[in-house]
């Protein structure tokens, strides 16, 4: 099963959502993300939030107080993991607005590693220690941003590495490119993985 979670970020940062909708897809509208869904002509299965951005509570919406310890997106991710455990989670509308909210939304991937954050230009995911494969699927650049001092092995890319230390704040692993299916080992650490379109 696939779950689309559409948050209240600027609509110009949200890709056309219809191609992401497959059989057995649940759509969760997060506060102002409801407006994005309406604009794109998509219905939602669940609405979650305090609805301060949207300005009204949709029928059947799961209303939360404005003063709370979690963001609306975090509440939506919790709901999705409880109601659709093991599903693929795709997050839209989580970037492009306030920088604090954008950064927090990206860091939510650490708490919900089964989720991916998707914009018009990027696909972002979180990887901890382990072995992974990742195809380009039309993306041009492949970057790894360490959240802690990390060690990476990269194969199937233009600039391979073998058990190479990658410090926080270093730029060595930004803007790599595919030469096949990328084979990645996170020997140590934690990284954000970004696939990015060239334009």
């Amino acid at each position: 099963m696939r779950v689309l979670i559409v948050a209240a970020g600027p609509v110009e940062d949200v890709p056309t959502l219809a191609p992401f909708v497959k059989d057995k897809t649940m759509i969760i509208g997060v506060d102002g993300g409801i407006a994005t869904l309406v604009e794109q002509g998509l219905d939602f299965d669940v609405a979650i939030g305090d609805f301060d951005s949207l300005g009204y509570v949709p029928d059947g919406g799961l209303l939360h107080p404005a003063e709370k310890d979690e963001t609306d997106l975090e509440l939506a991710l919790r709901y999705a993991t409880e109601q659709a455990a093991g599903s693929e989670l795709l997050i839209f509308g989580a970037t492009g607005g306030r920088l604090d909210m954008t950064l927090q939304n990206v860091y939510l991937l650490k708490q919900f590693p089964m989720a991916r954050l998707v914009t018009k230009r990027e696909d972002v995911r979180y990887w901890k220690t382990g072995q992974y494969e990742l195809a380009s699927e039309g993306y041009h650049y492949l970057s790894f941003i360490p959240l802690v001092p990390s060690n990476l092995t990269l194969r199937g890319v233009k600039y391979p590495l073998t058990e190479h230390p990658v410090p926080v704040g270093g730029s060595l692993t930004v803007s790599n490119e595919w030469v096949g299916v990328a084979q990645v080992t996170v020997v140590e650490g934690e990284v954000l993985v970004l696939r990015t379109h060239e334009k």
Side-chain angles (χ1 to χ4, degrees), residues 6-7 11 29-41 44 53-54 56:
V6 184
V11 67
V30 183
D31 200 330
I34 298 291
T36 300
L37 288 166
V38 170
E39 183 174 310
Q40 295 202 18
F44 54 89
S53 299
L54 186 62
Y56 66 93

Side-chain angles (χ1 to χ4, degrees), residues 16-49:
T16 301
L17 297 171
F20 295 94
V21 179
K22 299 181 177 180
D23 291 340
K24 296 183 179 179
T25 296
M26 174 190 292
I27 299 178
I28 300 176
V30 183
D31 200 330
I34 298 291
T36 300
L37 288 166
V38 170
E39 183 174 310
Q40 295 202 18
L42 293 175
D43 293 327
F44 54 89
D45 298 290
V46 182
I48 295 175

Side-chain angles (χ1 to χ4, degrees), residues 156-190:
V157 294
K158 186 175 181 180
Y159 307 106
L161 296 174
T162 300
E163 294 190 10
H164 198 290
V166 184
V168 175
S171 55
L172 175 67
T173 52
V174 174
S175 296
N176 212 325
E177 299 176 30
W178 280 267
V179 295
V181 174
Q183 298 175 336
V184 180
T185 302
V186 182
V187 181
E188 293 179 274
E190 307 169 61

Side-chain angles (χ1 to χ4, degrees), residues 127-132 144-154 161-168 172-173 184-191:
W127 285 350
K128 58 183 179 179
T129 303
Q131 295 182 322
Y132 305 88
F144 301 90
I145 310 297
L147 298 177
V148 298
S150 299
N151 186 301
L152 300 180
T153 294
L154 307 178
L161 296 174
T162 300
E163 294 190 10
H164 198 290
V166 184
V168 175
L172 175 67
T173 52
V184 180
T185 302
V186 182
V187 181
E188 293 179 274
E190 307 169 61
V191 295

